[in-house]
C-alpha cells in the first residue's frame, strides 16, 4: 500500500472512509451517472420516463406487438430497430431508450392508435416534447462514460478535458426552454460539487499537466501544481538514479509498436475534438539547452521549463510512449508521470475483475481455494496479453 499512487472507487461512504488516508479518486463514470440522475429526477422528466417505460414494456412483452412494429417499420421505411428498455444503474441506457423511442415514435403511435385497448400506452404530445429535451441534453454526454472505461489508455489526465467539455455542453444558450435550462444546471452544478475538493483538484491538475497531450491547456492551478511538484522533488531524486534506463527504453519501444498497430480508440477521437476546440489552433515550441543543476528543486524547475517548451503531441498519441522517449532528458518529471498517469479515472477495470471472479467461482466450482481462484483470475485477465507480447 505504501507504493500505491491512488485508489479509484465509487462514491459510497464506506469506501471514502476506508481510504481516507490514501489518495482517493472518485469514479468518473459513477459521478457522471449521479449528476445525470439529478436531472432525470425532475418531476416532469421522471413521470414522462415512467410512462414511456410502460409503453416499451408493452411492446417487448408481446410477440404480437413486436410483429406489428416490424410491419409498421417496413411500411413507414423506418430502421428495423427494437425498442430499448433502460437499466436504472446505467444512465446511458436511459438515453438509448429515449433516443430509440424518438426514432420509432411514428410507428409506435400508429400501432397503438389502431387498438383501442392500447390507447393508455399512447405517448402524449407533452411527453414527446420532454423526450426531445432529454435527448438533446444527454446526447453530448453519451460517449463520456465509455471513453474513460478502458484499461489500455491513460485516463486520469482526461478528466479535466472532459469536465471542460461538459461545462461547455451545459452552458445556457439563448432560446433554451425552462426544462432544458434546469436539466443543464443540475448536471453542471452537481458535477462541479463532486470535483471541488482541493486535494482531488490538485491531483487532477498535476495529472493533466504531466500529460504531454495537454500540459497547461486545461490546468486551472498551474502555479500550485508547480509548487507541489517542487515540494516532492527531494523524494523523487534518489529512486530515479537507482533505476536502469534500458528496461524502460525497451518497454517504450514495445509500447510504441503496439500503439502503431492499434486503431485510434473512442477516447482518443473524443480528446482530439476537445483539445482542438479548447486551443483553437496548435502551438509549439523548441527545447532550450541549459546547464544541469545539482539541487533537485533547481533541476526540476529546469525540467518544467523545458517540458513546457516542447511541442504538444496529438491527443491520439500515447503519453506513456512519449515519456519513455523523453525520460533521459526529463528524469524527474518522468518519475512523476509514472506515479500519476497510472491511476485510472474509472473503477470499471476493477469491476471487470470482480465479474471475471464471479464467472470462474461458479456454484459448481465452489470449493476452489483462494490461491487457486486468484491464479485463474490472473490468467483469465493476462494470458492473452502475454501471448501478444511473445509474438512481438
Amino acid at each position: 500500500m505504501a507504493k500505491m499512487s491512488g485508489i479509484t472507487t465509487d462514491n459510497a461512504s464506506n469506501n471514502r472512509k476506508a481510504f481516507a488516508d490514501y489518495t482517493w479518486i472518485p469514479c468518473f463514470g459513477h459521478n457522471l451517472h449521479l449528476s445525470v440522475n439529478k436531472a432525470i429526477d425532475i418531476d416532469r422528466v421522471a413521470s414522462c420516463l415512467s410512462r414511456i417505460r410502460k409503453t416499451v414494456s408493452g411492446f417487448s412483452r408481446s410477440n404480437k406487438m413486436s410483429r406489428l412494429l416490424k410491419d409498421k417499420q417496413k411500411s413507414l421505411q423506418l430502421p428495423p430497430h427494437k425498442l430499448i428498455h433502460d437499466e436504472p444503474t446505467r444512465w446511458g441506457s436511459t438515453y438509448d431508450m429515449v433516443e430509440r423511442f424518438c426514432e420509432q415514435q411514428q410507428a409506435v403511435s400508429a400501432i397503438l392508435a389502431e387498438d383501442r385497448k392500447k390507447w393508455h400506452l399512447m405517448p402524449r404530445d407533452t411527453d414527446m416534447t420532454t423526450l426531445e429535451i432529454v435527448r438533446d441534453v444527454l446526447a453530448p454526454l453519451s460517449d463520456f462514460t465509455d471513453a474513460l472505461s478502458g484499461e489500455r489508455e491513460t485516463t486520469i489526465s482526461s478528466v479535466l478535458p472532459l469536465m471542460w467539455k461538459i461545462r461547455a455542453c451545459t452552458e445556457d444558450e439563448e432560446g433554451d426552454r425552462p426544462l432544458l435550462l434546469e436539466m443543464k444546471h443540475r448536471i453542471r452544478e452537481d458535477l462541479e460539487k463532486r470535483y471541488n475538493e482541493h486535494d482531488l483538484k490538485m491531483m487532477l491538475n498535476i495529472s493533466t499537466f504531466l500529460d504531454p497531450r495537454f500540459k497547461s491547456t486545461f490546468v486551472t492551478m498551474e502555479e500550485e501544481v508547480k509548487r507541489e511538484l517542487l515540494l516532492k522533488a527531494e523524494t523523487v531524486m534518489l529512486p530515479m538514479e537507482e533505476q536502469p534506463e534500458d528496461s524502460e527504453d525497451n518497454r517504450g519501444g514495445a509500447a510504441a509498436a503496439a500503439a502503431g498497430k492499434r486503431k485510434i480508440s473512442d477516447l482518443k477521437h473524443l480528446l482530439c475534438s476537445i483539445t482542438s476546440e479548447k486551443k483553437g489552433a496548435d502551438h509549439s515550441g523548441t527545447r532550450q539547452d541549459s546547464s544541469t543543476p545539482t539541487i533537485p528543486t533547481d533541476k526540476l524547475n529546469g525540467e518544467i521549463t523545458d517540458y513546457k517548451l516542447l511541442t504538444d503531441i496529438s491527443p491520439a498519441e500515447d503519453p506513456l510512449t512519449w515519456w519513455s522517449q523523453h525520460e533521459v532528458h526529463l528524469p524527474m518529471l518522468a518519475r512523476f508521470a509514472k506515479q500519476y498517469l497510472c491511476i485510472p479515472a474509472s473503477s470499471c477495470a476493477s469491476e471487470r475483475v470482480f465479474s471475471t471472479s464471479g464467472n470462474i467461482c461458479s456454484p459448481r466450482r465452489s470449493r476452489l481455494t483462494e490461491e487457486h481462484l486468484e491464479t485463474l483470475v490472473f490468467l483469465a485477465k493476462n494470458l492473452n496479453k502475454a501471448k501478444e507480447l511473445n509474438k512481438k
Side-chain angles (χ1 to χ4, degrees):
M1 296 289 283
K3 295 183 178 180
M4 188 173 297
S5 300
I7 300 175
T8 305
T9 69
D10 58 30
N11 284 327
S13 58
N14 57 339
N15 285 333
R16 302 193 66 170
K17 291 180 180 178
F19 305 120
D21 297 332
Y22 301 92
T23 303
W24 175 79
I25 303 96
C27 173
F28 180 83
H30 189 234
N31 276 346
L32 184 58
H33 172 77
L34 295 175
S35 299
V36 170
N37 277 349
K38 291 286 186 179
I40 292 177
D41 288 341
I42 298 174
D43 290 341
R44 178 179 168 185
V45 176
S47 59
C48 172
L49 292 177
S50 177
R51 288 190 291 270
I52 295 304
R53 290 188 186 101
K54 293 178 181 178
T55 303
V56 173
S57 298
F59 278 83
S60 61
R61 294 176 181 177
S62 171
N63 291 331
K64 178 183 177 182
M65 299 285 285
S66 299
R67 189 168 58 252
L68 291 174
L69 180 61
K70 289 182 180 180
D71 296 338
K72 191 62 68 174
Q73 288 170 341
K74 290 181 181 179
S75 62
L76 295 176
Q77 297 182 348
L78 293 175
H81 296 155
K82 293 182 179 180
L83 297 181
I84 299 174
H85 201 293
D86 66 339
E87 171 59 43
T89 59
R90 292 185 294 112
W91 76 266
S93 64
T94 301
Y95 166 73
D96 292 337
M97 179 184 72
V98 171
E99 194 274 335
R100 181 61 56 81
F101 194 88
C102 291
E103 175 192 87
Q104 300 293 333
Q105 182 264 336
Q106 187 179 0
V108 170
S109 298
I111 294 172
L112 296 177
E114 296 172 357
D115 189 350
R116 189 180 183 88
K117 296 180 180 179
K118 303 293 183 181
W119 283 3
H120 65 284
L121 299 176
M122 180 78 72
R124 308 171 185 173
D125 293 339
T126 54
D127 288 341
M128 293 310 304
T129 302
T130 302
L131 291 180
E132 290 172 358
I133 293 175
V134 173
R135 180 190 60 189
D136 293 342
V137 172
L138 301 186
L141 314 178
S142 59
D143 296 330
F144 291 176
T145 300
D146 292 339
L148 291 185
S149 299
E151 302 178 34
R152 297 187 177 185
E153 299 166 352
T154 302
T155 56
I156 190 65
S157 57
S158 302
V159 172
L160 289 185
L162 293 186
M163 288 287 292
W164 179 87
K165 182 63 176 178
I166 290 174
R167 284 194 293 270
C169 292
T170 55
E171 285 183 352
D172 299 346
E173 297 180 3
E174 186 178 355
D176 283 348
R177 299 178 182 181
L179 179 61
L180 182 61
L181 290 174
E182 185 177 0
M183 292 186 69
K184 287 183 176 180
H185 288 172
R186 290 201 178 196
I187 293 174
R188 183 174 63 248
E189 292 173 4
D190 187 77
L191 203 57
E192 291 286 353
K193 180 183 67 177
R194 297 183 184 281
Y195 286 97
N196 201 34
E197 295 181 6
H198 181 268
D199 292 342
L200 178 59
K201 290 170 65 176
M202 176 61 70
M203 197 276 300
L204 293 176
N205 274 268
I206 293 176
S207 301
T208 305
F209 178 76
L210 292 173
D211 192 322
R213 299 174 295 179
F214 311 124
K215 295 182 181 176
S216 302
T217 304
F218 298 95
V219 173
T220 58
M221 307 164 60
E222 186 171 355
E223 291 302 320
E224 295 182 53
V225 166
K226 186 176 179 180
R227 286 197 296 269
E228 184 73 14
L229 292 177
L230 290 174
L231 287 174
K232 297 180 178 181
E234 294 285 352
T235 62
V236 81
M237 191 65 178
L238 290 178
M240 279 302 303
E241 294 177 348
E242 296 173 1
Q243 291 192 2
E245 297 175 358
D246 294 341
S247 60
E248 297 297 335
D249 292 340
N250 292 336
R251 280 199 294 270
K261 293 181 180 180
R262 287 199 303 267
K263 295 182 179 179
I264 297 179
S265 67
D266 292 338
L267 175 59
K268 291 177 180 178
H269 278 298
L270 189 60
L271 292 177
C272 283
S273 62
I274 293 175
T275 305
S276 61
E277 183 178 345
K278 172 68 173 176
K279 291 182 177 180
D282 293 336
H283 63 278
S284 61
T286 56
R287 187 176 182 273
Q288 297 177 346
D289 295 330
S290 59
S291 59
T292 304
T294 57
I295 302 176
T297 52
D298 293 342
K299 179 177 175 58
L300 182 58
N301 238 329
E303 288 189 13
I304 292 175
T305 301
D306 292 345
Y307 171 66
K308 293 173 67 175
L309 291 174
L310 291 173
T311 305
D312 293 2
I313 64 175
S314 167
E317 297 184 41
D318 185 5
L320 300 182
T321 301
W322 187 93
W323 275 113
S324 68
Q325 296 168 352
H326 292 77
E327 184 176 9
V328 176
H329 305 294
L330 306 170
M332 297 186 73
L333 278 181
R335 182 72 177 181
F336 282 123
K338 292 177 184 178
Q339 177 183 349
Y340 283 94
L341 297 184
C342 67
I343 303 173
S346 172
S347 60
C348 292
S350 59
E351 291 174 3
R352 292 190 192 102
V353 175
F354 296 146
S355 298
T356 302
S357 303
N359 293 334
I360 293 175
C361 189
S362 61
R364 292 190 176 186
R365 308 179 72 185
S366 59
R367 298 186 66 181
L368 285 172
T369 63
E370 294 180 4
E371 295 79 8
H372 197 182
L373 176 60
E374 184 177 353
T375 302
L376 290 174
V377 172
F378 178 83
L379 290 174
K381 301 298 293 184
N382 297 284
L383 189 58
N384 290 334
K385 296 179 182 178
K387 292 179 179 178
E388 292 177 1
L389 291 175
N390 289 333
K391 291 178 180 180
K392 296 172 183 176

